[in-house]
């Protein structure tokens, strides 16, 4: 059994890591840290875990964490991991960081969106943890920067088509919608039940920090600079993310070309499911699972390609993909511990 | 007091008409019809109305309705109104029809989307009831075709800019999201609570019948053929519709140009409120009201204009706009009976 | 027009007062205070109010408030009103306080549930603002202590039966359920969307502070000491409160006795509606309105009376009843400004 | 691998059985029947199951089902199983029926609540599948009548106390609240999203058919006739059931007595978790799992015991408990295939 630690275990992404790892046949949770809840039993914070997780949350102390665990997940807000991850690596432990800190190769893009980067020397060796795309590199990585939820939902449908140069790269628009758990567990007015219920709204319109993350990867995979208009919206539901992408096809492209490209690319990949044309994906179909369901529609009337993806923002959009990456790093089947059968409702 | 009848009073749009008209100072509800509930007191179907509406639903009989009311709202599924409305007009009564039957001038477009039109001779004199745009024509209309909810949410932000030729007309995309009441009251699997809750999904992607309705009006107002890619989505909430529109600006357009154009166009119009740039509209802000809140963002990085609108699909998207049109037809202040102060939550 | 001020205008109860008063034909909002938002336009905090309420929130200064308004609503957390209300009364202004501070005659009960009372000298002249019960006293009151939402939902069904001595007074149980807006606007973990959605839970089981408030009034109206087991629960909805009451009937009581008693008591009272036996009330039927819908069932098999009430916790449970009380104090029809027609959904 | 069939696989209880059995390490789904969807792939009805369940739904034919499966779950509306189950038993197959048809020993009680019973000869050998209570009998049963969701939530907290004669048996009240999935998948007005959202309401007050089911078991376990006042309510959530029980304690009972009794009774039982006094259970803590969380409060002021239970109505209230029973019947660890780690949110 691999001894695993979660740094920042009480936020929603951290707790979802705990949820998945508690059921993982090859992993044993040995240490959970939480600044806010140090000294408190994890199952007092999450009573759902009573009888399942007996650990007490600890103050964060890298030496102690590395003494107790051989594999570390860091689920802290960006900026904090920059300081911690280098120390963990010095202990020779492999790390998956769920923040933005190790997602970029382009330091300038990171710094424009976030803040000065204090661990730039690590970026060259860091692997972007989009499991289906960077499987090979992830296998041997010491440090994986786990993708954002929005980028995961945008990149999985687009990359196959951009690699084959099937889309006009200056035509990309992603209209994304997220459940509220994506906003984290800290109570703020915008996550108050009464402000969310019966509310649907865009936010950070065309200025969200996940856009440069998407653009770095899209450009890399397209082999040319790619930009995207990205508009996130908040949906009154706990889990789920659906992205609707609009793009112009290259001249002469057909619906079958798109379908074939996506089907070929994801053939044999256990977590990406292609929906038949005209049957769009639905967040309810992937709730609680690591699946990414893809749909598409060729709008011949307007010569536009419409791509759609549905994920659970806490699973494939965060903790699930992180565990998928851990499996890949360890040489396990990538579905290990992630074979949650989805609920009918 | 004007005697008013509602044909098809027990669907959600019909019941919302009843709600608004029950509080309208210049109107008196005198007859409600319902095929399904003929003979049943309206407040047994909607117990919220106990003590407010004492009418019993009647079988539909045009002579009887026209004998009891001087102004008729028809809130039936499309196809039925084609047969009824000509009869009502023969009685000399003014009519607002909430179905698609009298929204189109272009018969071919209607027939392609719906079915053969059996009352084409009326279309020339019919007015499209988008109150802010066709105020003049509505004043003297005998028959108003009340707009669809999606078209209302798409047309109000776009028309001012298209009239001024500020957008590339082949670049229009509308990504719309609707609450469940838009699907009507008849219980079907897609409106089952458990299928909607925690679900977010596109449907009728690029093939929804509201697109040709939009295109007829957009083309008319732009003075040239306009097409639009339209993708509706279902949101787990009862009321509310938010549309996010993506368009390419004409060369040299600035954020201020858009803002100025919208502000000038809707200056003095009581039901259209312009949000400051960067503060998007929210369905919660207009819930239960006849407002249409507009927002916009100029995505200079990608040279795209993003327009956003929020309405209550049952009010400005249906019954509220219908009553606004009635007010205009009667020469009343257009806000009469519609001055519902919005709820904080 | 009566000049009205709201102290504490930005919490949910305060904002709901603003909502109702903005549409009140005999009142004019002249001053709103908010510690947190002093200097901010009210419609920036609640964008739904754009174009309707133009006031800027002010720091609380009693002299200033009393200089601008002739009638004051205080919507602050308990303990603060004890210090403020005496000052307002010194200015000769009439006050309705929505906190617990002026609901009790029994100081010891108040102090056991809350904290030492610093304005006890006012309690003798204070009137408990349960409009249907204390209509006479409210008319001439200078200071009304507006009831809690739970007590309103418990007292309205019980008082008629207790006045007639129809129930065993040691048998009372109230199982109440509230929407989340009752917990206030301050973001805390228990109002986080993700903690509320798909959650139903009891809280403060048999130790909630509204129980002594109920018991004081129940005892007064029964003419003997009455105690009640009170268990509140939180429901995943924004507005609404439903209470299910269980009681033992006095020997020989029939279903008709209960029905007759309730019907006679509330005959002619505009805001209390009696549902037919076997057709329970529903929070959806009263949403956004000042109604209290009452239902009952005689469980002959077990010789138990089951009473049910539904209110909107923010309206009849707070701001609506407060305005109803203002109307009564001013000699207006008690429904003035409260004739909101309920929504079908 | 045990070959397992589900008769009535496309309702919510049936689909939840499919969900659990698809992940069960000792079971293999070999046949699914559905009248409505015969000939349709299960994953077209439930797209969440794409890639997991490849079966096509079949018309119900007992010979065929019994030819393909060695263990049969019947998830049909009551009345239908009475005709089918005897045939299945004739094929020598073990059966768990999820309807009411085989829950009663008292035929008269069944017939009063449902309809004439056509397979009464089977009732003597039938075992009531409340796993924690009838573990022994279930082991050797050929036919298990799986409990209703409400009875499960009422019986688990009450039985330990009644067995020890700690409560006054004429004092029992159960105020229960259910998520909407308990109403089944067939679309009816009462499960329409817009009728449920922002709605909380009682239904079938003191006349619900689950009361006689509870009373038969309560009487059996108490060793004397027991009656209960039972009031179910509908909560706007998909999954979850919470019951609040009120009872009078026998003279001299203390909080510790209750706590000790429950703790001793459920010691070592994997699916019943006792919450600390004052920390009530919450449906969110058990969502998607087979847990029953129990809480209690001794209301000393009123000399009342308050018991609370939370289950997922589709799991411990239906399909989960059914699989738990299958495990017991097969001599497997009762948690096999049911070790779903609960979600944090």
């Amino acid at each position: 059994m691999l001894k695993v630690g979660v740094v920042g275990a009480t936020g929603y992404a951290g707790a979802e890591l705990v949820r998945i790892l508690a059921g993982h046949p090859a992993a044993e949770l040995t240490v959970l840290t939480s600044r806010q809840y140090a000294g408190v039993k994890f199952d007092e914070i999450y009573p759902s875990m009573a009888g399942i997780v007996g650990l007490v949350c600890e103050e964060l102390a890298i030496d102690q964490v590395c003494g107790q665990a051989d594999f570390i997940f860091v689920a802290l807000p960006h900026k904090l991991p920059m300081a911690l991850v280098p120390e963990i690596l010095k202990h020779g432990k492999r790390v998956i960081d769920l923040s933005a800190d190790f997602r970029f190769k382009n330091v300038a893009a990171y710094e424009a969106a976030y803040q000065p980067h204090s661990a730039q020397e690590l970026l060259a060796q860091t692997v972007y943890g989009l499991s289906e795309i960077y499987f090979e590199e992830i296998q041997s990585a010491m440090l994986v920067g786990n993708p954002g939820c929005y980028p995961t939902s945008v990149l999985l449908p687009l990359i196959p088509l951009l690699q084959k140069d099937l889309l006009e790269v200056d035509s990309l628009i992603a209209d994304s919608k997220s459940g509220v758990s994506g906003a984290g567990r800290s109570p703020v007015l915008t996550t108050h039940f009464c402000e969310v219920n019966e509310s649907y709204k865009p936010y950070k319109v065309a200025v969200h920090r996940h856009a440069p993350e998407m653009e770095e990867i899209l450009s890399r995979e397209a082999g040319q600079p790619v930009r995207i208009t990205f508009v996130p919206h908040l949906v009154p539901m706990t889990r789920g993310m659906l992205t609707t992408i609009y793009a112009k096809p290259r001249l002469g492209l057909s619906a079958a070309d798109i379908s074939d490209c996506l089907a070929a690319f994801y053939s044999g990949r256990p977590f990406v499911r292609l929906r038949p044309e005209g049957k769009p994906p639905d967040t309810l179909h992937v709730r609680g699972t690591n699946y990414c369901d893809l749909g598409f529609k060729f709008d011949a009337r307007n010569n536009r390609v419409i791509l759609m993806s549905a994920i659970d923002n806490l699973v494939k959009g965060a903790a699930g993909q992180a565990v998928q990456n851990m499996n890949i790093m360890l040489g396990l089947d990538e579905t290990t511990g992630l074979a949650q059968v989805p609920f009918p409702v």
Side-chain angles (χ1 to χ4, degrees), chain A:
Chain A
M1 292 291 261
L2 180 75
K3 292 181 179 175
V4 177
V6 177
V7 172
T10 58
Y12 285 148
E16 187 76 355
L17 279 167
V18 172
R19 196 261 306 166
I20 298 171
L21 292 165
H24 195 289
E28 181 195 0
L29 280 170
T30 53
V31 55
L32 307 178
T33 82
S34 167
R35 198 173 33 183
Q36 192 182 352
Y37 294 105
V40 182
K41 283 193 70 200
F42 188 78
D43 70 358
E44 285 183 35
I45 308 159
Y46 288 101
S48 58
M49 290 297 185
I52 298 162
V53 174
L55 294 170
V56 174
C57 293
E58 303 178 15
E59 279 288 1
L60 172 54
I62 292 297
D63 283 2
Q64 216 168 331
V65 169
C66 290
Q68 295 173 82
D70 292 321
F71 196 103
I72 320 286
F73 291 92
V74 179
L76 296 173
H78 64 84
K79 191 174 178 187
L80 298 175
M82 283 195 296
L84 299 173
V85 165
E87 288 188 64
I88 299 173
L89 290 172
K90 277 182 205 147
H91 282 80
K93 309 293 184 180
R94 297 173 91 177
V95 186
I96 295 176
D97 177 49
L98 280 79
S99 84
D101 285 3
F102 298 99
R103 292 177 190 159
F104 289 74
K105 298 290 184 198
N106 182 336
V107 178
Y110 175 88
E111 296 191 336
Y114 296 90
Q115 66 273 304
H117 202 299
S118 64
Q120 302 182 23
E121 68 285 359
L122 292 177
L123 297 182
Q125 69 179 84
T126 302
V127 176
Y128 188 72
L130 192 61
S131 318
E132 281 73 17
I133 308 302
Y134 300 113
F135 190 97
E136 304 295 324
E137 297 88 332
I138 292 165
Q139 286 178 308
S140 54
M142 285 300 291
L143 170 55
V144 164
N146 213 60
C149 46
Y150 285 123
T152 296
S153 79
V154 168
L155 295 170
L156 287 176
L158 273 177
I159 284 174
L161 304 177
L162 289 180
Q163 282 188 356
K164 296 283 187 193
D165 197 23
L166 303 184
L167 303 176
E168 302 283 346
V169 295
D170 63 349
S171 73
L172 306 181
I173 297 166
D175 188 293
S176 289
K177 303 87 178 174
S178 175
V180 183
S181 60
R185 189 174 186 251
S186 296
V188 289
L189 190 59
T190 49
T191 60
H192 191 300
F193 184 86
C194 302
E195 306 288 327
V196 171
N197 187 30
E198 290 292 288
S199 160
Y200 182 91
K201 56 174 166 285
Y203 67 101
K204 293 188 186 159
V205 177
V207 297
H208 193 284
R209 294 191 290 204
H210 279 178
E213 180 183 332
M214 296 171 196
E215 291 176 347
E216 177 170 319
I217 305 298
L218 290 173
S219 301
R220 187 189 305 167
E221 296 303 318
Q224 60 179 301
V226 177
R227 283 206 292 220
I228 190 163
T229 293
F230 171 59
V231 180
H233 302 71
L234 192 67
V235 183
M237 62 186 182
T238 295
R239 287 166 177 262
M241 173 166 288
L242 194 133
T243 290
T244 313
I245 296 169
Y246 303 91
K248 282 282 176 189
R250 292 290 190 204
L251 199 66
L253 197 74
S254 72
D257 294 335
I258 302 165
S259 174
D260 293 349
C261 173
L262 289 170
F265 193 95
Y266 289 115
S267 168
R269 302 315 311 261
F271 290 122
V272 179
R273 302 190 295 193
L274 197 55
R275 303 272 303 144
E277 201 193 350
K279 302 214 169 174
D282 182 334
T283 59
L284 191 61
H285 299 162
V286 299
R287 196 181 196 276
T289 78
N290 201 47
Y291 287 112
C292 175
D293 281 4
L294 297 183
F296 77 97
K297 171 75 185 174
F298 193 87
D299 177 16
R301 224 170 48 95
N302 294 298
N303 192 36
R304 263 192 199 97
V305 174
I306 302 165
L307 299 165
M308 294 153 282
S309 68
I311 60 173
D312 182 320
N313 57 298
L314 289 181
V315 191
K316 186 62 179 170
Q321 184 155 250
V323 173
Q324 186 181 0
N325 288 330
M326 180 191 80
N327 290 338
I328 296 170
M329 291 163 81
L330 297 173
L332 300 170
D333 184 290
E334 66 184 312
T335 66
T336 310
L338 291 167
Q340 163 81 50
V341 181
F343 294 98
V345 290

